[in-house]
Amino acid sequence: MKRRSFIAKGTLSAFGGILSTEIVFSHKIPFGYKPLALQDPDPFKMFGKDTDMTVLNNKPWNIEAKAHLLDDKVTPNKHMFIRNNGLIPENIDVKNWSLTFDGESVQNSKTYSLLELKSKFRHYTYQLTLECGGNGRSEFNPPAKGNQWTVGAVSCANWTGVRLKDVLEDVGIKSNAVYIGYHAADKHLSLNPEKEPISRGVPIAKAFQDETLLAFKMNGEDIPLAHGYPLRLIAGGWPASASGKWINRISIRNKVHDGAKMNGTSYRVPCESVAPGEKVADEDMCIIESMPVKSLITYPKSGAMIKEGATLNIRGHAWAGELEVSRMEYSIDFGATWIECTLEKPKNRLAWQHFSANISNFPKKGYYEVWARAIDSKGTGQPMLLPGWNPKGYLNNACHRIAIKVI
C-alpha cells in the first residue's frame, strides 16, 4: 500500500508518541511542513496493530484482521478492525470533552462533561460484538463500491461505560421520541465543516437496552484514538456504524434520524430480494438493524496440513445480532453432511460465542475444506453460499471455510 501522511501541524505534538519521543520545537515548525520521520507514518505502529492486519484504505483509515488473528476470546486492540468514514479528530482536549443532548424530543437540551458522565452514573462492562455491515463485501458480484472487506471486520471486546438509558432518563425525553442520532468530532474528507462524515443512530428501544453504552474504556484501558477516544457509543449486535466514535452530541428525534449515511443505500438493503445488479429505488431500501447469524473459524489457519489418521482441532466464534446462537456445526464434505460442534454460552447478551470440534473422520489423504455453520435461536442458519445481492454488498453471512490437506 502506498502510505500517505495525514498529519497536520496541529497534531505533531500529539503524535510525538509515534517517534517514542517529544518533538522539540514543534511549535516552531512552519505551517504545512512535516518532519521527515512523520512523512510516511506506519499505520501498524500508529494504531498499535499487528503487522499481519490488512490495510484497505488510508483516507479514511480502514484496516481489517485475517480470520486466524481473531482467535482470542476477547479481541485485543492489535487485532481489532478499524472502519472510519472521515478523518480522525486532532488535538482532543479530554479535560473539556462534553456530550450534549438535543433534538425535537428532548425536554431540555443538556450537556455533560466527560468527568460528569463518569462520576454521576454507574459503570457497566460488557463483551459486545461489533461487525461492519460490509464485512464480506468482497464476495458480491457485481461488486459494490467501497472497501472490499473479507472476513475480518468483526470483533468482541470488553467495553466499559455508562448506560445510555440512564443518561437519557436523567436528561428527560418526550413521549414522542422514536430515534437517537449521534454526532461526532471526526472531519469530513472534504474538510467542509458543514458536512458530517457519518451521523447514524438507533431506534429508541435499542438506545434503552441495558447493553447500549456510552463507552470510555476498551479492554480495561482508555479507548484507543482510532476506536473512538475519549467517548463512543456502543450498540452491540447491530452494524458497527451504529456505534459512533468520538461522539460529542446525541439528538433525540421524533422521527427516524436523517443524518449522514442514514439515507439512500447507506447501511440499507433491499426490503425484498432483487436480482444481482438490479437498481433499487431508495424507498425500497430498509435500514439494517440486527446483524444476521454468522461464524468464523479462527484456528487453524487456512492451508493447514495434518498427517493421515491425526485429529484436527478447530475453534472459532459465532454470533447472531440480537439473538443467541443455539447450535454450531461443521462439514468436511462441502455441506453434504453436518456434525455438531461444542458451543459455549455467551459471556453476556450480544457477546459472540466460542465453538470447537475435534475432527477425526477424514477418510483418506487429500484436499478438504472445513465449513462452519451457525444456527440462531429462531432456527435460522447461515447460507452455504452468498446470500441475497444488494447494492452496497452488506450482510454477507455465508459459511466460512478453511482449506486442509491430509498428507
Side-chain angles (χ1 to χ4, degrees):
M1 182 205 75
K2 183 179 178 182
R3 298 170 191 155
R4 300 172 188 166
S5 173
F6 74 110
I7 298 174
K9 176 184 176 184
T11 64
L12 289 171
S13 297
F15 280 85
I18 297 170
L19 305 177
S20 300
T21 187
E22 178 187 0
I23 303 176
V24 182
F25 299 126
S26 62
H27 61 290
K28 293 188 176 182
I29 294 176
F31 179 80
Y33 176 80
K34 301 179 182 67
L36 292 175
L38 294 177
Q39 287 188 4
D40 189 21
D42 183 336
F44 305 106
K45 285 186 178 178
M46 193 160 56
F47 300 125
K49 298 300 178 187
D50 191 310
T51 54
D52 250 4
M53 299 281 281
T54 302
V55 179
L56 299 176
N57 201 348
N58 65 345
K59 194 176 182 182
W61 286 104
N62 287 313
I63 300 175
E64 73 166 336
K66 297 179 177 68
H68 68 279
L69 298 178
L70 294 171
D71 195 42
D72 297 272
K73 289 192 172 183
V74 178
T75 310
N77 173 33
K78 65 179 181 179
H79 292 150
M80 182 172 293
F81 74 99
I82 295 176
R83 191 335 182 194
N84 290 338
N85 288 269
L87 302 177
I88 295 174
E90 302 168 354
N91 299 325
I92 289 177
D93 181 2
V94 67
K95 290 183 179 177
N96 291 309
W97 192 273
S98 62
L99 178 64
T100 296
F101 290 83
D102 61 12
E104 307 93 345
S105 295
V106 70
Q107 290 180 358
N108 293 292
S109 179
K110 195 166 184 177
T111 298
Y112 300 87
S113 69
L114 184 58
L115 182 61
E116 283 180 297
L117 286 174
K118 290 181 176 179
S119 60
K120 185 171 183 177
F121 301 97
R122 181 180 169 184
H123 296 187
Y124 293 83
T125 298
Y126 296 106
Q127 284 181 21
L128 297 168
T129 306
L130 297 184
E131 182 182 15
C132 174
N135 195 25
R137 171 182 291 150
S138 61
E139 293 187 33
F140 280 98
N141 190 30
K145 290 182 179 178
N147 294 290
Q148 297 303 301
W149 301 94
T150 60
V151 296
V154 62
S155 66
C156 187
N158 279 310
W159 295 98
T160 300
V162 299
R163 297 191 303 199
L164 177 57
K165 74 174 187 178
D166 292 341
V167 183
L168 290 175
E169 287 170 353
D170 189 71
V171 171
I173 63 174
K174 298 178 182 176
S175 59
N176 64 352
V178 298
Y179 230 88
I180 63 126
Y182 66 73
H183 307 274
D186 51 341
K187 296 179 181 177
H188 192 273
L189 295 177
S190 66
L191 297 180
N192 182 343
E194 302 300 319
K195 292 184 177 180
E196 292 181 290
I198 187 168
S199 174
R200 288 178 47 75
V202 296
I204 202 73
K206 178 67 175 173
F208 269 82
Q209 286 185 352
D210 286 352
E211 302 84 3
T212 300
L213 299 178
L214 296 169
F216 38 78
K217 285 188 179 296
M218 186 182 92
N219 293 333
E221 299 180 349
D222 287 345
I223 298 173
L225 177 63
H227 294 288
Y229 176 82
L231 187 68
R232 70 174 294 175
L233 182 64
I234 296 290
W238 285 40
S241 57
S243 298
K245 303 175 181 179
W246 314 291
I247 59 168
N248 52 23
R249 183 160 65 95
I250 290 179
S251 299
I252 317 302
R253 310 301 307 271
N254 62 3
K255 59 183 180 182
V256 174
H257 184 54
D258 52 1
K261 296 188 182 293
M262 280 295 294
N263 300 310
T265 56
S266 293
Y267 300 100
R268 292 176 179 238
V269 293
C271 301
E272 305 292 340
S273 298
V274 299
E278 185 174 326
K279 289 188 176 181
V280 185
D282 287 355
E283 58 269 27
D284 294 326
M285 301 291 289
C286 289
I287 299 172
I288 300 169
E289 295 190 338
S290 176
M291 294 295 282
V293 62
K294 197 169 178 179
S295 60
L296 188 67
I297 302 170
T298 58
Y299 179 86
K301 185 178 179 180
S302 186
M305 293 188 287
I306 62 169
K307 291 185 177 179
E308 187 176 20
T311 296
L312 176 71
N313 302 312
I314 65 166
R315 60 176 178 259
H317 317 294
W319 58 97
E322 289 282 337
L323 302 176
E324 198 171 307
V325 177
S326 61
R327 193 167 81 251
M328 190 71 215
E329 301 171 330
Y330 75 85
S331 173
I332 61 169
D333 55 10
F334 300 97
T337 59
W338 294 88
I339 298 174
E340 192 160 349
C341 301
T342 299
L343 177 67
E344 299 179 18
K345 296 289 287 184
K347 177 72 174 180
N348 51 254
R349 208 176 77 82
L350 309 181
W352 65 16
Q353 298 167 241
H354 316 298
F355 68 87
S356 61
N358 299 319
I359 306 175
S360 57
N361 55 339
F362 295 105
K364 61 180 182 180
K365 293 179 181 178
Y367 172 87
Y368 296 86
E369 289 186 3
V370 178
W371 291 33
R373 180 171 71 178
I375 296 95
D376 69 25
S377 52
K378 288 188 174 179
T380 302
Q382 290 182 253
M384 291 172 58
L385 301 175
L386 198 67
W389 181 89
N390 63 84
K392 285 292 185 72
Y394 295 125
L395 306 184
N396 179 4
N397 67 331
C399 292
H400 184 229
R401 52 198 185 274
I402 59 171
I404 297 294
K405 190 173 182 181
V406 178
I407 56 177

